[in-house]
Amino acid sequence: MADINFKLIKNPLSKENPITVQVLGICSALAVTAKLEPAVVMSLSVIAVVVLSNLIVSLLRKTIPSRIRIIVQLVIVSLLVILVDQVLKAFVYEVSKQLSVFVGLIITNCIVMGRLEAFAMSNKPFDSVLDGIGNGLGYSVILITVGFIRELFGSGTLWGYPIIPQSFYEMGYQNNSLMIMPPMALIIVGIIIWIQRSRNKDLCEN
Amino acid sequence: MKWVKNIIDNLKPNFSKGGKFPWLHSTFDAFETFAFVPKTTTKTGAHFRDANDMKRTMFLVVIALVPALLVGTYNIGYQHFHSLDTSIGLFDNIWENLWFGIVKILPIVLISYIVGLGIEFAFAQWRGHEVNEGYLVTGMLIPLVMPPDVPLWQLTLAIIFAVIIGKEVFGGTGMNFLNPALLARAFLFFAFPSSMSGDKVWIAEKADAFSGATPLAEMMVGGHHPSLSFLDMVIGFMPGSIGETSVIAILLGGILLLITGIANWRIMLSVFLGGTFMGLIFNFFGSNSYTQLPFYYHFVMGGFMFGAVFMATDPVTASQTNRGKWIYGFLIGLMAVLIRVVNPAYPEGMMLSILLLNVFAPLIDYFVVDSNIRKRKKRWNLKGGENV
């Protein structure tokens, strides 16, 4: 196991981040980040799906006829998504209701399909798993950051527990309702991209 | 003025390359050109010279805003004392009204300029650009579209948001596609609805017993025609945003803008045409009291007049082509009346309709230019897509 390719995990966290650099999976990033808890659950679900589907597709990559590969990939992904959905319904029913349709929409999440097409179809199973972990984590980092900011300023809580003390509200502080609306998620993702690009000039277009 | 010149000339080496504070160069430059006409001129290329540079344009708009600001200041005081004791007439205690208004409006104006200009300077410094005068007008527009009791920390947040996300991100003055002053108001409207809507906020330190509903709220919530007469609303001593209430004061500024050619008459006229068109449709098919409200009432209620004169005509965010300007203005008026009457969540449609059309202005221009190209191609009997 000495040949773990750490780049496969490290790159998606920074300069190949699926959300901030490749701008994939934006839809779910807007929809599930109003609170921290659904954001974390969503992240875990995507990590599970992307890792397992990468593994399965990579194992099957030599037997999948290239003309129907998208269909085969979709079948594998949807199988995993249904499994994840059932697990969520069984163990975290409340969160599963909040996530509603977006768990099902992991099937169409561009990150999953993108990794299958770009990586798992042409790489060995072990590398594919690492790639899946990396990209899932890259997605999660952004989702959890956005969820953290939105819940803290939008509802004054974190994971449902009140964080901002009552005395602040008595002094006239108010929660920012714009934070709970989807446009603010887009703006926060934009600001993250801004910060990332100003730190890493390689990402800027000329 | 000689001594100012001497001070600046003495300080200059500190801020040039090799001085103590070269990174503060553009701040220094801004203050120098603010005080004196710079000595250096452009050395290459052909340039049109015009007396009406950006500094003068911005300053004229600020002058045009002064009547609305003065009436607004007086109105804050009058509304406050009137809500405490309804027997107080309009001119019963002029000085108290003015003083109360000044005490209320001064912090808002100061915060608007200090925060906004602070961000402008910081970004100019960071990018090595010159500081330019774009914020002078925005800084005056922001207080005028705020309710008099707006919490100052919320105002600060809104200005930071509007200037950074609405303007600096896109490259500063002249590059923004949304009107920053309206964006600040929209931010407050969506982020802190309780301090931007309802009938509590439009009169400063209102007595609880007094109804502070604006004419728009009376229509939307109460479902009856405004209690003020048309003429009263034209004169404008009624609850509302600071600078939006008096049609006369706004029109005074509007005339100045039209004479000097800063605001475009096509946009202004077509906003009213659009409002009239939509209002007449509602009048014709209307079945409730709001749709039956005569269309010209829309012009004197809420921010319609202020938006049409000062916001829609902002040359940066409006359409650039003449035909585009007609479409842009017409749709603003149309959408404003439509949102007001039909959407129960938003009593005031002017802000949202201008922001919406700001977004669409480049698209309108694109189609206008494109149709012109096609028309000319047709005139020369060329087939589409053939390049000559």
Side-chain angles (χ1 to χ4, degrees), chain B residues 175-298:
Chain B
M175 305 293 185
N176 49 316
F177 67 92
L178 290 172
N179 188 321
L182 275 183
L183 196 63
R185 193 179 198 276
F187 177 86
L188 280 181
F189 182 81
F190 287 109
F192 308 106
S194 62
S195 32
M196 275 309 274
S197 46
D199 50 9
K200 297 264 188 304
V201 298
W202 305 108
I203 299 176
E205 294 169 25
K206 178 177 77 73
D208 285 339
F210 188 76
S211 156
T214 61
L216 280 171
E218 285 182 300
M219 287 300 317
M220 181 57 75
V221 183
H224 57 82
H225 282 208
S227 44
L228 294 163
S229 72
F230 185 77
L231 189 65
D232 282 341
M233 292 197 281
V234 170
I235 298 167
F237 289 100
M238 57 185 180
S241 295
I242 293 170
E244 293 184 341
T245 53
S246 172
V247 172
I248 293 178
I250 294 167
L251 278 184
L252 275 179
I255 290 168
L256 177 70
L257 290 186
L258 285 179
I259 291 174
T260 52
I262 291 169
N264 188 284
W265 63 270
R266 290 182 184 86
I267 296 177
M268 237 186 255
L269 181 62
S270 57
V271 171
F272 289 106
L273 286 179
T276 308
F277 176 75
M278 202 64 221
L280 282 175
I281 290 183
F282 279 130
N283 288 167
F284 193 70
F285 297 106
S287 53
N288 62 25
S289 65
Y290 208 158
T291 49
Q292 280 161 1
L293 183 78
F295 68 88
Y296 45 84
Y297 268 71
H298 282 291

Side-chain angles (χ1 to χ4, degrees), chain B residues 9-46:
Chain B
D9 282 345
N10 283 335
L11 285 175
K12 197 165 195 169
N14 287 334
F15 296 99
S16 333
K17 258 186 197 155
K20 278 184 215 155
F21 314 103
W23 52 279
L24 277 174
H25 174 74
S26 56
T27 305
F28 177 77
D29 193 55
F31 282 108
E32 189 191 8
T33 53
F34 190 73
F36 298 101
V37 175
K39 258 186 285 183
T40 49
T41 50
T42 316
K43 295 201 173 56
T44 55

Side-chain angles (χ1 to χ4, degrees), chain B residues 58-132:
Chain B
M58 296 298 176
F59 200 65
L60 273 170
V61 182
V62 173
I63 291 177
L65 286 166
V66 166
L69 181 72
L70 289 179
V71 176
T73 309
Y74 187 82
N75 190 36
I76 296 174
Y78 168 66
Q79 291 298 332
H80 169 68
F81 290 111
H82 183 72
S83 82
L84 296 178
D85 178 3
T86 44
S87 66
I88 293 177
L90 183 50
F91 297 111
D92 278 355
N93 41 8
I94 294 178
W95 295 113
E96 276 109 324
N97 286 350
L98 260 185
W99 178 244
F100 186 85
I102 290 172
V103 169
K104 276 283 161 193
I105 204 172
L106 205 60
I108 301 181
V109 174
L110 280 181
I111 284 191
S112 167
Y113 274 113
I114 292 171
V115 174
L117 283 178
I119 297 171
E120 288 264 328
F121 273 86
F123 268 87
Q125 215 65 251
W126 180 33
R127 294 178 166 154
H129 288 183
E130 282 175 38
V131 179
N132 58 33

Side-chain angles (χ1 to χ4, degrees), chain A residues 171-179 181 184 187 191 194 198, chain B residues 123 126 153-154 161 164-165 169 187 190-195:
Chain A
M171 275 155 57
Y173 178 80
Q174 285 173 19
N175 287 327
N176 187 333
S177 348
L178 192 62
M179 280 287 176
M181 299 181 193
M184 207 58 198
I187 292 170
I191 293 173
W194 182 16
S198 59
Chain B
F123 268 87
W126 180 33
W153 69 272
Q154 294 179 2
F161 178 84
I164 294 184
I165 303 292
V169 164
F187 177 86
F190 287 109
F192 308 106
S194 62
S195 32

Side-chain angles (χ1 to χ4, degrees), chain A residues 146-165:
Chain A
V146 176
F148 178 85
I149 296 172
R150 285 180 73 189
E151 183 171 357
L152 182 61
F153 294 106
S155 320
T157 58
L158 280 179
W159 206 272
Y161 297 106
I163 291 292
I164 292 176

Side-chain angles (χ1 to χ4, degrees), chain B residues 293-358:
Chain B
L293 183 78
F295 68 88
Y296 45 84
Y297 268 71
H298 282 291
F299 302 157
V300 296
M301 301 191 315
F304 195 99
M305 191 57 88
F306 194 83
V309 170
F310 291 111
M311 297 293 192
T313 54
D314 173 7
V316 176
T317 54
S319 283
Q320 307 295 321
T321 53
N322 277 344
R323 222 186 313 160
K325 281 174 179 156
W326 285 106
I327 302 170
Y328 165 86
F330 190 84
L331 287 177
I332 285 180
L334 190 148
M335 292 297 298
V337 175
L338 187 71
I339 296 172
R340 275 182 181 183
V341 176
V342 175
N343 193 331
Y346 307 121
E348 175 56 297
M350 201 59 185
M351 167 184 87
L352 295 170
S353 80
I354 295 177
L355 283 176
L356 182 71
L357 265 295
N358 279 172

